[in-house]
Amino acid sequence: MATLDAQRKWRQKNRLVKSQLNITARSKVHEYLDEIATQHDLRGKAEAVTFSVYAMMALLQQGSFNKEAERLHRLFLEAYHRDRDMFQP
């Protein structure tokens, strides 16, 4: 854990472009993030979260003109809503 002084310096340096996201997630979600990071040569779980958001945004954008992307998005959304209790803390 970073010291209070180190945290303060980080926040001051990055206040306009970043904010820290502390979330509680099931251990399986942490395992999935580690797996995503490893498989895609990312720098850890934080970058795996960023990549996951990037991939979802790309899917949404593609869905506006690509029927297959829209279909996949719908399938992922329905599956998540069906199984969300497995992923929620």
Side-chain angles (χ1 to χ4, degrees):
M1 183 85 155
T3 66
L4 289 177
D5 190 44
Q7 290 177 3
R8 196 174 305 115
K9 285 179 184 178
W10 184 91
R11 287 187 192 108
Q12 181 64 28
K13 176 183 169 193
N14 295 293
R15 74 183 185 283
L16 299 176
V17 293
K18 294 184 180 181
S19 63
Q20 191 170 7
L21 177 64
N22 292 321
I23 62 166
T24 301
R26 291 186 184 260
S27 55
K28 195 65 175 169
V29 172
H30 285 276
E31 291 173 21
Y32 290 149
L33 289 171
D34 280 331
E35 187 177 324
I36 290 167
T38 300
Q39 289 179 352
H40 295 88
D41 194 28
L42 304 174
R43 292 176 283 190
K45 290 189 288 187
E47 195 170 15
V49 170
T50 303
F51 174 74
S52 299
V53 170
Y54 177 86
M56 180 54 68
M57 293 309 298
L59 190 61
L60 287 169
Q61 290 172 0
Q62 286 291 315
S64 65
F65 58 87
N66 180 322
K67 295 292 183 193
E68 181 62 9
E70 175 59 28
R71 186 184 75 79
L72 287 171
H73 175 252
R74 236 183 3 265
L75 287 173
F76 295 152
L77 184 59
E78 290 169 6
Y80 177 77
H81 281 285
R82 182 186 62 238
D83 301 334
R84 74 184 338 159
D85 291 340
M86 293 177 9
F87 296 97
Q88 296 295 322

